[in-house]
Amino acid sequence: MVLFGDYHTHTKYSRHNHGKGTILENASVASSKGLKQIAITDHGFNHFCFGVRRKDIPEVKEDIWNAREVTGVDILLGVEANLISTDGDVDVKVEDFEFLDILLMGYHKLVHMNSQKDFRQINLVNMVGSPFRPSKERLNRNTTAFLKALDKYPIDIITHLNYGFPTDTLAVAKLAKEKGTYVELNGKRICFTEQEILTMANEGVNFIVDSDAHTPDRVGECNEGLNLIFKLGIPLSQVANIDKFPKFLRTRGKN
Ligand SMILES: [Zn+2]
Ligand SMILES: [Zn+2]
């Protein structure tokens, strides 16, 4: 079994010391662990504490070129975008796809939302509500927002599904499968049950194991997901980055 790449890693471009390392450091650790490819996926632009700034993108690209030259690791430029409305809007613009190789999307707090109403219905309700016993109304609203986001955007990976934002896991995963989106088994937090993973697998959902590293030493640390894959006997053909490269939405068919 070979892990080909880690597609969810943060760097110092996730501001305010949230991400600790440089792109070169992430790539160097990836190289030392035998990974062939990584993605740099700092927090999305509307995250008012940690978000990467659009004006930093030219510097990010230059760092990627340099780190690729030095380490030989292939490096994709992505972003971990944020849900910003109940209508499934996400904080990427059409023009961002000129530089984005892949798009990750998850729910995060401390994000500029589309409107006060979206702030109340997405952030506030989920911050004060129980993560384990969401009301039916909250669960439906959260699920609908994710389904609409999957419909509107070419999302390659849903990050840490249900973390602070409970959804109908299977409904989201089923549409993800239909859209060619991978459901992440996050290296730090997996917020669905083993039974739910088995059900998703039976439905043909495709997973990806990622580290969500915020320090270079954690790049490639995907044991949380890998252990579950082996424990539950999930077919490796349904894990995008084991023994093969993932096929991302806008590169599909090219490799
Ligand atoms: Zn995240
Ligand atoms: Zn992350």
Side-chain angles (χ1 to χ4, degrees), residues 8 10 41 43 80 108 159-160 186 212 214:
H8 185 171
H10 294 266
T41 56
H43 285 289
E80 186 183 9
H108 298 91
T159 64
H160 47 65
N186 186 286
D212 198 1
H214 285 65

